[in-house]
Amino acid sequence: MLDKFGIAKRIAKELQDGYYVNLGIGIPTLVANYVPQGIEVILQSENGLLGIGPFPFEEDVDADLINAGKQTVTIAKGSSFFDSAMSFGMIRSGRVDLTVLGAMEVADNGDIANWKIPGKMVKGMGGAMDLVASAKNIIVAMQHVNKSGESKLLSKCSLPITGLGCVKKVVTELGVFDITSVGFKCIEYATGVSLDYIKEKTLGRLVVADDVKEMSID
Amino acid sequence: MLKKVVKNAEEAIVDITDGATIMLGGFGLCGIPENSIKALVNKGVKNLTCISNNAGVDDFGIGLMLKTRQVKKMIASYVGENAEFERQLLSGELEVELIPQGTLATRCMAAGYGIPAIYTPAGVGTEVAEGKETREFDGKTYLMEHAFKSDFAIVKAWKGDTNGNLIFRATSRNFNPLMAMAGKITIVEVEELVQPGDLDPDMIHTPGIYVNRIFKGVHYEKRIEQVTVTKR
């Protein structure tokens, strides 16, 4: 079974040289730490930065320079700043190659819910609805079950929808799942996790790929 | 002679009255018009409709106006950092319209460009789409979203000249130049106020024609929500 760092490491393997990537808040942000050697990706932050660098040294912290998670960051070489309309312009017009975000629920047809629990929690969608409506490739990074132990991989989302039929892949602590016309297709399982256990923890339609294999993250 | 320069925040907001619709620039606490928000709190205007990406935190930014119950309605995309906001929302004291961040930005842009509405795929099939006109282009469904109408836009720039030309800094740019174009009256506070000719015209982000009032802000706190550092 993976921890959150393992999930981030596995998603980092999806990165390709030259990709423009938008990483959401939480586990997705960690993906930046595991960009494979020899690959250059440019990270987009929807608050108006293309080319996010590492966190600053303490003396270099700049209140005017943050990422979309409101964390202080630095700029990578060759970066650029822009306003929020242009930022979503590059997202809507399909320039961002990969979007990684978290979710509360994902359905086996690629629907995603991640912005609201009616009557309990209202945080808002931020940029998530724009991203999922336009991005070419969307990977969800999340825990397989919620705090009550219930599956977050469902046949239909029970929470308010963020976007329809948009998720392409889900990576959880248990495995990697492609969204296909026949539901979640398990293509990899985490070390020490059985396919039976994955089936037990998945409420949506689940098929196992013929060539399913153990996940390698290092 | 252009008369855009005002003394301070109090003078800049002098005609903002109860019930006004106000846009406020910033992303989180980054690039927010700190001086103007404090002046609005001191003035005590009520029943405001505020359009801003976020609602500040409990004791800073727009959070200050929520605490004093000056906001009737909030239009925002993400409000996760403010417990008082969430409490007022869940108890029904505060009216809230949550909209996608790109939609928020583009509705500002449309206002500044003189375009009445835009089409966006964001929110199709969600609560956001309820009651809105949709249209298909090339087989994909889009929502029609109207340009904002706002009595005032209050933004924060890094540098500005007395003609109202503005330059923003790093990611504190965010919604500021868009909102600067979108208010019926645009109020700008700057860290540095300079004379015409002091700024390179090629480097201007917002041309002065959009700006009605400008003043030099004081005592910027520039609070950071999440200080994240790399250890040496």
Side-chain angles (χ1 to χ4, degrees):
Chain A
M1 202 176 294
L2 302 175
D3 58 11
K4 62 183 181 176
F5 301 102
I7 295 174
K9 275 184 192 172
R10 174 59 189 82
I11 291 173
K13 292 188 156 219
E14 302 290 321
L15 300 173
Q16 290 181 26
D17 198 26
Y19 260 16
Y20 289 98
V21 182
N22 181 291
L23 301 174
I25 296 163
I27 300 175
T29 306
L30 298 172
V31 174
N33 301 332
Y34 305 110
V35 178
Q37 287 273 315
I39 281 184
E40 188 189 1
V41 298
I42 295 180
L43 301 176
Q44 199 255 16
S45 194
E46 64 266 26
N47 57 320
L49 168 58
L50 201 53
I52 311 173
F55 293 140
F57 293 120
E58 204 157 0
E59 64 271 25
D60 297 329
V61 165
D62 180 349
D64 289 338
L65 184 48
I66 60 169
N67 65 16
K70 283 113 183 167
Q71 299 171 310
T72 48
V73 293
T74 56
I75 50 172
K77 256 187 201 153
S79 62
S80 56
F81 296 118
F82 36 84
D83 66 54
S84 302
M86 186 177 281
S87 179
F88 285 93
M90 48 188 88
I91 288 164
R92 278 195 303 264
S93 62
R95 262 78 174 180
V96 176
D97 299 290
L98 175 65
T99 293
V100 183
L101 74 178
M104 297 171 187
E105 295 176 346
V106 176
D108 60 23
N109 63 352
D111 293 354
I112 176 172
N114 71 352
W115 71 283
K116 183 180 182 183
I117 303 172
K120 273 193 193 157
M121 186 284 287
V122 188
K123 296 211 179 293
M125 64 291 281
M129 278 192 188
D130 308 270
L131 282 158
V132 301
S134 300
K136 285 177 283 196
N137 189 6
I138 297 171
I139 300 179
V140 165
M142 67 175 190
Q143 301 297 323
H144 208 96
V145 297
N146 64 22
K147 281 178 187 138
S148 328
E150 297 155 344
S151 179
K152 293 167 73 173
L153 282 71
L154 308 169
S155 53
K156 192 173 188 301
C157 292
S158 65
L159 296 170
I161 292 286
T162 307
L164 297 172
C166 51
V167 177
K168 300 283 189 290
K169 195 186 283 286
V170 182
V171 180
T172 75
E173 75 278 19
L174 302 184
V176 182
F177 307 86
D178 281 340
I179 306 283
T180 69
S181 57
V182 289
F184 297 109
K185 183 188 248 184
C186 179
I187 58 169
E188 293 174 25
Y189 53 87
T191 302
V193 174
S194 72
L195 289 169
D196 282 341
Y197 186 74
I198 289 174
K199 280 176 193 162
E200 189 191 315
K201 295 294 179 190
T202 307
L203 273 183
R205 289 176 298 161
L206 178 74
V207 295
V208 176
D210 295 337
D211 56 350
V212 66
K213 59 181 185 198
E214 186 175 321
M215 198 190 298
S216 113
I217 54 169
D218 293 306
Chain B
M1 196 184 142
L2 298 174
K3 288 210 172 95
K4 301 193 182 199
V5 178
V6 294
K7 219 168 40 227
N8 52 29
E10 286 67 38
E11 193 181 329
I13 64 150
V14 70
D15 54 349
I16 298 185
T17 52
D18 290 357
T21 297
I22 306 174
M23 290 179 159
L24 295 132
F27 181 94
L29 300 179
C30 183
I32 60 172
E34 295 182 19
N35 284 251
S36 304
I37 291 171
K38 278 182 197 141
L40 286 167
V41 171
N42 291 337
K43 191 174 185 199
V45 279
K46 292 201 166 52
N47 290 319
L48 301 173
T49 295
C50 291
I51 304 170
S52 190
N53 189 54
N54 311 91
V57 295
D58 283 329
D59 59 348
F60 202 59
I62 294 175
L64 295 170
M65 293 199 286
L66 290 166
K67 214 185 233 170
T68 48
R69 306 293 184 82
Q70 289 172 268
V71 183
K72 181 187 70 176
K73 182 176 180 181
M74 186 79 219
I75 301 174
S77 89
Y78 189 81
V79 294
E81 283 96 359
N82 191 318
E84 174 64 13
F85 180 99
E86 202 163 7
R87 191 197 65 71
Q88 288 186 21
L89 167 57
L90 292 172
S91 69
E93 293 162 57
L94 177 70
E95 205 181 321
V96 176
E97 189 180 336
L98 289 167
I99 60 178
Q101 195 174 132
T103 302
L104 182 70
T106 314
R107 288 175 69 187
C108 294
M109 191 195 77
Y113 276 56
I115 296 166
I118 53 119
Y119 287 97
T120 176
V124 169
T126 75
E127 281 179 16
V128 168
E130 283 168 17
K132 284 180 188 156
E133 193 177 321
T134 59
R135 186 160 165 182
E136 244 179 59
F137 295 93
D138 301 324
K140 185 167 172 173
T141 307
Y142 294 79
L143 292 185
M144 188 174 79
E145 297 277 9
H146 289 270
F148 279 122
K149 291 191 175 80
S150 187
D151 301 316
F152 296 90
I154 307 180
V155 309
K156 152 85 191 340
W158 178 38
K159 292 180 181 180
D161 68 21
T162 56
N163 281 359
N165 296 304
L166 308 178
I167 296 177
F168 302 89
R169 183 172 175 275
T171 55
S172 70
R173 190 183 315 184
N174 57 62
F175 286 84
N176 282 303
L178 301 162
M179 291 183 171
M181 299 193 301
K184 277 194 204 108
I185 292 176
T186 292
I187 296 166
V188 184
E189 55 178 83
V190 294
E191 287 177 58
E192 270 182 63
L193 183 62
V194 300
Q195 292 303 309
D198 287 349
L199 301 176
D200 179 352
D202 266 331
M203 296 296 132
I204 300 294
H205 297 127
T206 299
I209 193 167
Y210 285 110
V211 173
N212 301 94
R213 296 170 201 162
I214 187 165
F215 68 95
K216 186 185 178 308
V218 291
H219 308 307
Y220 280 104
E221 190 177 332
K222 291 202 183 182
R223 204 183 286 187
I224 297 172
E225 279 178 66
Q226 306 215 31
V227 179
T228 43
V229 297
T230 300
K231 295 258 178 274
R232 289 254 183 215

